[in-house]
Amino acid sequence: IKTGYKIQPKTRVYVSANRQLVHYSAQRDANHKDWLVDVGIEGQLAPKLKGMVQAGLQNRLYDNTAVVNTSRNRSTNNAQYRAQLNYAATERTSFDLVGNRGLNETSAVGSGGHYYTSTGVSLAAAHKWNKLKFGLGGGWQVDKYAEAVTQANYTAVRRDDLYNGNASVVYSIQEWLQASLDYQHMRRHSIFTGQFNYKVNRTSVGVKLLF
């Protein structure tokens, strides 16, 4: 459910409510029901700035107290937010900022409570020159798990830091045809145990038809 009010011809404030039901069929005792309530603003926020910013609260109620440990309540409340902003510095140069915070499901060993909170931010820049478009960006995300857990005689609240950076070049062969080259580096560092760490380097080429 979402409703809003226009405060400018291209800008509105809004409130929204979402109901979420999660049921596991693989004999996993982590079924829950959620309410997500947000307030926000979207559209043309300034002469060169457009996008949306919203913030709210997520209430999660587990069907069984065992999934959040006997010392905790069945219910958990967490703040959430999301922002997607585009700033057109010039006709050829723009910046995109994305921020988010919310809950995610997990079944990993050492998860603690069957969910973790993700908080992240990323920034990307793009510049057009003739038929070429250059892109550069990076981001950082923190995944923090619900409770302290024990694995191999080590007890801690698991936290993972994820980093990524990317660069791209897009060539417009025609108005309806583009070729691209992309490079992305991703890595995860966990303070819980090194077995969750990884590094990824990904290079890709592509052709896109526009209709």
Side-chain angles (χ1 to χ4, degrees):
I1 301 172
K2 182 177 180 179
T3 184
Y5 177 76
K6 281 189 176 182
I7 56 176
Q8 295 289 340
K10 296 183 179 181
T11 310
R12 73 168 182 163
V13 294
Y14 63 87
V15 295
S16 66
N18 295 273
R19 183 62 164 165
Q20 175 176 274
L21 308 177
V22 177
H23 176 76
Y24 290 94
S25 59
Q27 297 182 346
R28 183 165 176 248
D29 195 9
N31 301 338
H32 58 85
K33 303 176 180 67
D34 299 33
W35 279 107
L36 298 86
V37 179
D38 295 286
V39 296
I41 183 171
E42 62 185 358
Q44 196 72 39
L45 308 180
K48 294 186 177 183
L49 182 67
K50 62 181 180 180
M52 58 84 71
V53 179
Q54 71 175 35
L57 181 71
Q58 178 172 353
N59 171 265
R60 173 168 294 187
L61 178 65
Y62 283 97
D63 293 351
N64 192 328
T65 56
V67 300
V68 288
N69 198 319
T70 55
S71 64
R72 293 172 61 91
N73 295 325
R74 291 170 54 202
S75 178
T76 176
N77 295 300
N78 289 273
Q80 61 184 14
Y81 71 81
R82 181 161 184 82
Q84 293 178 293
L85 299 172
N86 174 266
Y87 177 69
T90 68
E91 291 184 359
R92 298 180 175 222
T93 304
S94 63
F95 298 89
D96 288 286
L97 176 67
V98 176
N100 66 279
R101 186 182 194 276
L103 299 189
N104 290 295
E105 303 291 310
T106 178
S107 60
V109 175
S111 60
H114 293 276
Y115 73 89
Y116 62 90
T117 304
S118 289
T119 306
V121 62
S122 65
L123 178 64
H127 178 73
K128 293 181 180 179
W129 182 69
N130 293 331
K131 292 187 174 184
L132 291 172
K133 181 179 180 180
F134 300 93
L136 189 67
W140 174 49
Q141 179 174 304
V142 176
D143 293 343
K144 189 171 183 180
Y145 288 72
E147 299 169 348
V149 293
T150 300
Q151 183 179 345
N153 298 320
Y154 176 64
T155 301
V157 176
R158 179 180 166 187
R159 167 180 161 164
D160 298 343
D161 287 5
L162 297 94
Y163 308 89
N164 73 83
N166 61 82
S168 65
V169 179
V170 178
Y171 178 64
S172 298
I173 302 170
Q174 298 289 339
E175 291 185 0
W176 49 271
L177 181 62
Q178 293 180 344
S180 63
L181 173 65
D182 298 273
Y183 168 76
Q184 185 177 36
H185 174 77
M186 298 177 290
R187 64 172 57 197
R188 178 169 71 186
H189 174 72
S190 176
I191 67 168
F192 184 71
T193 173
Q195 69 175 317
F196 297 121
N197 298 347
Y198 67 77
K199 297 178 183 178
V200 177
N201 291 288
R202 180 182 299 159
T203 304
S204 61
V205 294
V207 176
K208 182 184 291 185
L209 298 174
L210 306 174
F211 297 95

